[in-house]
Amino acid sequence: MNGILEVCVDSYASAMAAIAGGADRLELCSALSVGGLTPSAALLKQIRRVSNIPIRCLMRPRGGDFLYTPEEIEQMAMEMAVLRDAGADGFVVGCLTADGELDGNAMEPLLKEAGGLGLTLHRCIDVSRNLEDTYRAAATLGFDTVLTSGGAGKCADGMETIGRLLQLRDTEHGPEVLIGAGVNAKVISAFREKLPGARAFHMSGKTEMESGMRFRREGVPMGLPGLDEWHIPVTSGEAVREAKQALE
């Protein structure tokens, strides 16, 4: 399999920058500041008007943990139907039990709603009880990709665990190991040197764009206190381009 560079985007501007930089696939979401939430169908339709790049949509109804209520599961399934009709090529999902195991029963409606489209297990694996067990469970459930940092805050710190998952991929013909969290061109080069089997990477490549607002009332936060609302995170096409070159 050839290398793949997936870029996580939460806006039209970021999607266009990622495509211009040479991304192979997009993970579409919203609210990357909280780790990513389910995107809007309208944003997907906007991108589809100008590009047929493969797009997988993150299904996450809220921030926080991955222990979901039946109502949250139903919400995700309903949104998947809408996003599938809007042009999604696949979905990025994941549910855990209270004990940190992959919850196949909870995910059953989501896997059914995916209707045979591509499936990525998201980074719930990184907060699961045992990453290798979770990886094997994902394979059993039909996931073709597992996004992971190796159970670390940054993938560079989880390289040893990622190496074991890559071995499982090769020996058990398991899902692709999509390496994420802190990915850039330098990190890709380091992985390729130490783990030649590493061939799929996930990045956001964010930089900050200065707000166009001239009048700025301070002290009235629209979100978390202290959050800078005058600089807008957007994907850097150049960062994506450099990462793509490192992968190739």
Side-chain angles (χ1 to χ4, degrees), residues 110-141:
L110 307 182
L111 303 182
K112 181 179 179 181
E113 197 62 58
L117 297 181
L119 278 172
T120 300
L121 179 70
H122 59 48
R123 290 189 59 208
C124 69
I125 186 176
D126 292 321
V127 292
S128 67
R129 182 179 294 274
N130 183 292
L131 272 70
E132 292 174 48
D133 287 348
T134 301
Y135 177 87
R136 287 191 172 100
T140 300
L141 291 170

Side-chain angles (χ1 to χ4, degrees), residues 148-195:
T148 181
S149 64
K154 298 288 185 183
C155 63
D157 297 325
M159 190 177 291
E160 182 178 345
T161 300
I162 291 171
R164 293 198 298 271
L165 295 178
L166 288 169
Q167 287 181 333
L168 285 178
R169 180 199 69 188
D170 294 340
T171 59
E172 300 184 9
H173 306 289
E176 183 59 83
V177 178
L178 181 62
I179 301 164
V183 168
N184 55 33
K186 184 177 180 180
V187 168
I188 291 175
S189 295
F191 266 92
R192 297 285 283 169
E193 180 179 351
K194 294 185 179 181
L195 298 172

